[in-house]
Amino acid sequence: MFIRRLVQAEHLKQLQFAVAGDCDGVERLVGTFHTHPYRADSAGRAVKERGLSAMDLKTFAAAPDIVTMVMWDLDSLDVATKAVDGSVRHPAAVQVR
């Protein structure tokens, strides 16, 4: 599978700990991509969220998407895919070109 373009979600709204929106109007949508928000430790240093959270994977399993990705920084890209039977494969191999 190749991801050829990214499209911003519509109807974006800022929640306390997340941004929500929808991609209902996107033709041939195969999945979602999101970034994890910045969090800091008690000393003010960034705490990297390096992968898909348990909630990310649960949401993905219930969605029609066949791929989901999250990225915090260049060294923290994580991907999950769905098999034909709907089972979630995580982590999934990804090659950035």
Side-chain angles (χ1 to χ4, degrees), residues 4 19 23:
R4 301 198 187 277
V19 174
C23 298

Side-chain angles (χ1 to χ4, degrees), residues 2-80:
F2 291 92
I3 307 301
R4 301 198 187 277
R5 70 185 179 115
L6 300 174
V7 178
Q8 182 172 311
E10 296 179 342
H11 310 112
L12 293 172
K13 55 188 163 194
Q14 177 71 49
L15 305 173
Q16 184 176 4
F17 297 109
V19 174
D22 70 70
C23 298
D24 297 339
V26 179
E27 282 187 53
R28 297 173 35 189
L29 175 74
V30 297
T32 59
F33 176 94
H34 71 278
T35 58
H36 277 176
Y38 176 85
R39 284 190 319 123
D41 64 15
S42 60
R45 293 180 299 261
V47 177
K48 286 192 176 188
E49 304 282 348
R50 293 187 183 271
L52 290 157
S53 68
M55 181 59 78
D56 290 334
L57 293 169
K58 182 178 178 180
T59 301
F60 173 59
D65 305 352
I66 60 173
V67 63
T68 189
M69 298 186 297
V70 67
M71 182 176 184
W72 198 96
D73 203 345
L74 294 175
D75 64 349
S76 58
L77 178 65
D78 192 20
V79 178

